[in-house]
Amino acid sequence: MAIKVLVVDDEAAAIDVLKYYIDMTPTLSLLATFTDSRQAIQYCMLHDVDLLLCDIEMPLMNGLEVAEKQLGKTAVIFTTAHTNYAVKAFELNIVDYLVKPISYERFLQAISKYKEQFPTSVDDHFFVKTGTKGHLERINIADIIHVEGARNYVTIYHGTTQTITLLNLKDLEQRLPARDFLRIQKSSIVAIKHISGTKGGSVLLTNGNLVVIGPTYKEQVAKVINSKLIN
């Protein structure tokens, strides 16, 4: 199940960065963004929010006040350009304190801290609709090798089988554990354990498929591969 995230910052550029990072992270789902912290509090009262990414120095109601109001309700990660609030912030039992500019790697570290503090159960399978009316097919997550999206359809390569279903790739991505799967281009996700090597600008999978690595994802893929590299 995806972690439901709310972003609060009075600077649009800062929100754009966090929106991009959230979109890059399969286990996160962005609910909404606010430049007005008071509106964010109202939203939290009406909706189920797991994690709040919040700036500190904001007009009307600052991030510390927001965190105090959400204490025991919603987890908070501060995203701020200022270091002088760190002590007060951690007194509020926040998850992490990110200082701008925030790198994607540092962002992921904060998300990992959230997952450690608030573990959730992970399903080992799910069901999808097939082309046959009334027929559902069980997909075991451990069997998935590669997932490929095309418009509103997704092809799931699992074991020696491939299943095509009417589904959005983003929705499926949120059901896959981030530690086990890696998006390598806009329309492709691969199981890390099924990467058998790289060839040029592509990833070679255990089923023989060769999937091109998208320019946006090259750095992320390289980090995963290099973490297993023996020099």
Side-chain angles (χ1 to χ4, degrees), residues 99-114:
V99 180
K100 302 173 183 177
I102 303 165
S103 69
Y104 183 55
E105 183 176 11
R106 182 67 183 88
F107 175 82
L108 289 180
Q109 289 176 1
I111 299 303
S112 293
K113 287 184 179 181
Y114 169 84

Side-chain angles (χ1 to χ4, degrees), residues 16-25 28 102-104 107:
D16 288 342
V17 170
L18 293 174
K19 285 173 63 177
Y20 177 69
Y21 287 172
I22 291 168
D23 188 57
M24 287 276 287
T25 310
L28 302 183
I102 303 165
S103 69
Y104 183 55
F107 175 82

